[in-house]
Amino acid sequence: MDRDLLSHLPVVVAVARRGGFALAAAELGMSPSAVSHAVRLVEERIGQPLFARTTRSVSLTEAGTALVETAAPALQDIAERMDRIRGIKGRPAGQLRINASNIAIPLAVTAVVAAMAERYPDVTVEVVADQGLVDIVGEGFDAGIRLGEMIAQDMVTVRLTQPFSAVMVATPAYVGRHGRPRDVVDLADHNCIGYRLVRSGALYRWDLAEDGKDVSVETRGTAIVTDSLAAIDLALVGVGIAYVFEPLVRDHIAAGRLVQILPQSAIEEPGLFLYFPRRASMAPKLRAFIDTAQEIGRASSRTPGRAA
């Protein structure tokens, strides 16, 4: 066994996963030159280039693809087994990487991470906010958090929240100036805060209910955001109508800062789920996150007026 080769394989996998030497260096806590040296050493040992480099991009060669497809699962398996070994005599340990949508962080992540900091000080939870869907296995994540309808069927899922509604809200001042829409068609005459999908670049069409049927509504307005929390901020200062998940604005509605628009047109979403590949389900650090999240979820569901 070539020990030098083995010790540098995680660097090669990181460069492939992050798509560049600088990003891999930042993730690994190494200098870019050290990353380049490690990759060059592996290439010399194998006798073939692993990456095709240009001034703008880094991509895997055929040999590099074959190596990463072999090494990445093996390295992940070793890391998970080491975490299990650490957990035999003590607490769960290691880094838990989670990819979550922006709205999932306040609704299903923040409280769990705070609780885990107290209960499992040897676990570091890294949360990467991402508006699009990613290959959590290929990108090196232990788990992801998304709406239930967005998750592939071959993943193990764990419910983190109860179902909730997607609602439209505006300030009382906005309603006082412009009036309330009487139906979905009336939205065309209102300033609606748009939402641009980061991955596709398209403007999101609002999913609403009208006369018992689901409809997809194109809106227009003077502001477009890529984050629901930004839409709420704009709605709070009276810019227009925002389309957001109800738990995010529940306190604002209760305090009278926002009012719901066309409540009869709100649709229900399935809620947020943690998801992960089946082989990862026994990792102690992930098990700890699941147990903590479920405990918090049960406590929240028993507290009146709180989001589950």
Side-chain angles (χ1 to χ4, degrees):
M1 172 64 69
D2 190 328
R3 293 182 180 179
D4 285 341
L5 178 64
L6 185 61
S7 65
H8 288 91
L9 287 180
V11 180
V12 173
V13 171
V15 173
R17 181 174 64 247
R18 299 308 301 270
F21 286 73
L23 291 174
E27 177 183 313
L28 297 171
M30 301 170 61
S31 67
S33 60
V35 169
S36 295
H37 174 74
V39 171
R40 187 164 58 251
L41 185 147
V42 176
E43 290 177 326
E44 290 173 354
R45 292 287 201 278
I46 293 177
Q48 296 187 68
L50 300 176
F51 296 96
R53 306 167 176 84
T54 69
T55 55
R56 294 187 178 183
S57 66
V58 174
S59 60
L60 285 167
T61 62
E62 183 178 355
T65 299
L67 177 63
V68 170
E69 287 179 349
T70 300
L75 291 170
Q76 180 67 23
D77 185 57
I78 291 170
E80 290 174 1
R81 289 175 184 271
M82 290 300 295
D83 286 342
R84 294 190 189 113
I85 291 170
R86 293 190 190 101
I88 290 174
K89 292 185 177 180
R91 297 183 174 189
Q95 185 178 42
L96 181 68
R97 300 188 73 235
I98 294 177
N99 184 284
S101 59
N102 286 36
I103 62 99
I105 294 174
L107 293 181
V109 177
T110 303
V112 180
V113 174
M116 288 193 65
E118 295 291 329
R119 299 178 187 182
Y120 307 105
D122 295 327
V123 176
T124 299
V125 183
E126 179 181 351
V127 182
V128 176
D130 197 323
Q131 295 298 75
L133 284 172
V134 301
D135 176 2
I136 60 171
V137 176
E139 295 291 327
F141 292 99
D142 297 286
I145 301 176
R146 292 292 187 280
L147 292 174
E149 63 192 17
M150 301 174 70
I151 301 171
Q153 293 183 352
D154 61 347
M155 291 286 174
V156 178
T157 59
V158 176
R159 177 177 287 280
L160 296 181
T161 74
Q162 295 303 309
F164 45 70
S165 298
V167 300
M168 294 173 287
V169 292
T171 59
Y174 175 88
V175 173
R177 292 194 306 271
H178 302 283
R180 288 178 179 266
R182 293 167 297 179
D183 52 32
V184 169
V185 175
D186 274 357
L187 289 173
D189 298 324
H190 283 266
N191 198 24
C192 296
I193 300 168
Y195 183 82
R196 190 173 299 282
L197 301 172
V198 175
R199 295 279 175 169
S200 68
L203 285 176
Y204 179 72
R205 297 170 66 96
W206 293 3
D207 291 323
L208 301 168
E210 181 77 353
D211 297 328
K213 297 180 180 179
D214 292 340
V215 294
S216 180
V217 179
E218 183 177 350
T219 60
R220 60 183 180 181
T222 59
I224 297 172
V225 299
T226 58
D227 182 89
S228 295
L229 301 182
I232 294 171
D233 287 342
L234 291 174
L236 285 168
V237 296
V239 169
I241 300 173
Y243 177 91
V244 294
F245 294 133
E246 185 271 338
L248 294 172
V249 292
R250 187 174 295 167
D251 290 344
H252 292 306
I253 293 174
R257 293 185 290 268
L258 294 172
V259 296
Q260 190 171 349
I261 304 297
L262 297 176
Q264 72 276 12
S265 294
I267 64 166
E268 187 172 86
E269 297 285 359
L272 292 166
F273 290 77
L274 182 82
Y275 65 99
F276 48 90
R278 195 167 303 277
R279 63 177 175 79
S281 59
M282 295 304 293
K285 59 186 178 182
L286 183 56
R287 184 76 260 169
F289 187 94
I290 292 170
D291 291 344
T292 304
Q294 291 183 324
E295 180 181 331
I296 290 174
R298 288 192 294 269
S300 298
S301 64
R302 293 194 296 267
T303 304
R306 297 293 296 173

